[in-house]
Each structure stands twice: as C-alpha cells, then as structure tokens.
Amino acid sequence: MVADSLVYHPTVAHYLRFVATTVGRDKLLRTLQYFSRFYAWYLYRTNNPERIIAPFEAIKKQFGLTRKCLRIGKNVEHFKAAATAFDNKTMDPIIKICAVGRQLGYAMYLSLDTVTYLDAAGIRPMTSAKRLQKEAYRAWFTGLMFNTISGLYILWQLRQREQSIDKKDGEGVVESKKIQRERNSTNIQLISDLCDLTVPSAALGYANLDDGIVGLAGTVSSLIGIWGAWKKTA
C-alpha cells in the first residue's frame, strides 16, 4: 500500500531520529524564528498592514522564548568542554586557546541567558535583565570570535599541509582528498559563525545591521545547523 510505503520509508525513520534530538528541534525552531524576523522586516518595509506583520513578529518572539527555555542547563556542557580542551596535552596551542575561549564564551552566554529567562517569560521581572542580556550577547560574540579565529587558523594549516604533499603519489592523492574534506567542513563552519556574528554584533551596536540582514544571516546559519544535525542522525 502507498500508506505503508510512506510510513516505513527510510526518510521518515531518519526524520523521527532527527526530531528526537534536542539539537534537531532547536535548529528547526531557530530557522523559523530567524526567517520570521527577516520576513516581518520585509513586510514592514513594503508597507504591509500590522495584521499581516503581527503573526511573524509573534513567531519570532515565541520561538525565541521557547529556545531560551530549551537552553537552560546547557551551559554545564560547555564548561565541561572547556575543561576537557584545557586538559588536552596534544592539541595545537592556538587551537587549544581558541577551543577554551569558545567554550567559556558559550558557557557564560548560556548562563546569563538562563538568568534572564524568568524576566523574558514574564514570570519574574528583573530590573537588570537588559544589562544581563547585553552581557550574554557579549559573551556569545567572544565565543564566536574565538571559533572564527580557530577556523581561519585551521584553513592556514591545511594550506601548509597541502603544499608539502606530492599529489602524483598515491598516498599524496589520498591525503589531498582528506585535506579537501577538512577544508570544506571548516569553510561551512566559518560561514555559519560569520552569519551568527551578525546577531550579537547588531544587539551590541558593533555593526549597524537591520532585522533583514540579521534575519537572513540567522536563517542561513540555522539551515547549516539543520544540515549538520541531519547528517549526524543518518
């Protein structure tokens, strides 16, 4: 039967594994949140009435609040990752510093973000909520900058490795393909980080970016995240 073919199709099983993960659900919500941010801006700029814009503003706000709730407790994961990177004796020193900086930046962002949840949800208003959220964005920006520096350094290392191999040799061909895969992976992560940097940069006033640019950039990085999470659950 057609229904059985659809229900038992491998893609359906893959989708169920994907949405069973917190990361998968978060990336889906994030994509809708940032696309709504962009589309609400677009509708406003094209002089659409408030009743047309309001649903997308609501999606942006409510999905953002939902994701904030889902992130509660995730800071512990990044503190542990920072400690693990710090204790690693074999890691390249520059990559190690960037890894520790990235994880501590993310951990502080999530810690401060958690503190502001009660205010954002209207459960317990806080006079310091705006200041704490600004500090959270600053921590996220720091973590993303460390990750960006790490990505650029890795690309430089790959270029150095590539120049030292003989592509006419069998082992050299294999190594060249391995380097290309690593380069593609690093480039994708770098694009995602640069897109994400628009969010705290705009919030902190480091760059004059409107909701259209931030929304599009956030949508791109979210789609990259979905792609990565989808591959991991294959």
Side-chain angles (χ1 to χ4, degrees), residues 136-211:
Y137 278 127
R138 189 170 284 113
W140 185 21
F141 179 87
T142 302
L144 287 169
M145 284 302 299
F146 272 114
N147 212 32
T148 301
I149 293 168
S150 177
L152 293 172
Y153 178 70
I154 289 171
L155 288 176
W156 177 81
Q157 282 188 319
L158 292 173
R159 191 178 299 112
Q160 297 299 110
R161 279 172 54 191
E162 191 173 41
Q163 290 174 354
S164 66
I165 64 175
D166 182 7
K167 294 183 180 180
K168 295 179 181 179
D169 181 63
E171 291 184 4
V173 172
V174 173
E175 181 66 13
S176 180
K177 290 181 179 178
K178 181 181 178 182
I179 289 172
Q180 188 57 47
R181 286 195 298 270
E182 290 181 31
R183 181 182 289 119
N184 290 340
S185 176
T186 303
N187 280 330
I188 289 170
Q189 183 59 53
L190 195 56
I191 291 170
S192 179
D193 290 336
L194 291 173
C195 286
D196 281 341
L197 273 169
T198 62
V199 183
S201 295
L204 294 168
Y206 294 164
N208 186 21
L209 303 173
D210 56 37
D211 274 4

Side-chain angles (χ1 to χ4, degrees), residues 75-106:
N75 56 335
V76 178
E77 175 188 332
H78 291 283
F79 278 124
K80 181 181 178 181
T84 301
F86 182 79
D87 292 336
N88 192 319
K89 307 300 181 183
T90 60
M91 190 181 293
D92 180 286
I94 295 178
I95 293 178
K96 180 177 180 176
I97 291 170
C98 289
V100 173
R102 177 182 72 248
Q103 297 297 346
L104 287 177
Y106 291 168

Side-chain angles (χ1 to χ4, degrees), residues 56-75:
F56 297 98
E57 287 286 354
I59 290 172
K60 179 184 73 173
K61 181 179 179 181
Q62 295 303 323
F63 282 20
L65 188 60
T66 300
R67 291 184 57 245
K68 186 186 282 281
C69 181
L70 291 173
R71 290 194 296 266
I72 293 175
K74 193 173 172 58
N75 56 335

Side-chain angles (χ1 to χ4, degrees), residues 31-50:
T31 301
L32 294 171
Q33 175 194 353
Y34 279 97
F35 178 76
S36 294
R37 182 171 181 171
F38 159 74
Y39 199 56
W41 169 86
Y42 171 78
L43 291 172
Y44 175 77
R45 289 296 298 269
T46 51
N47 297 317
N48 281 273
E50 182 62 29

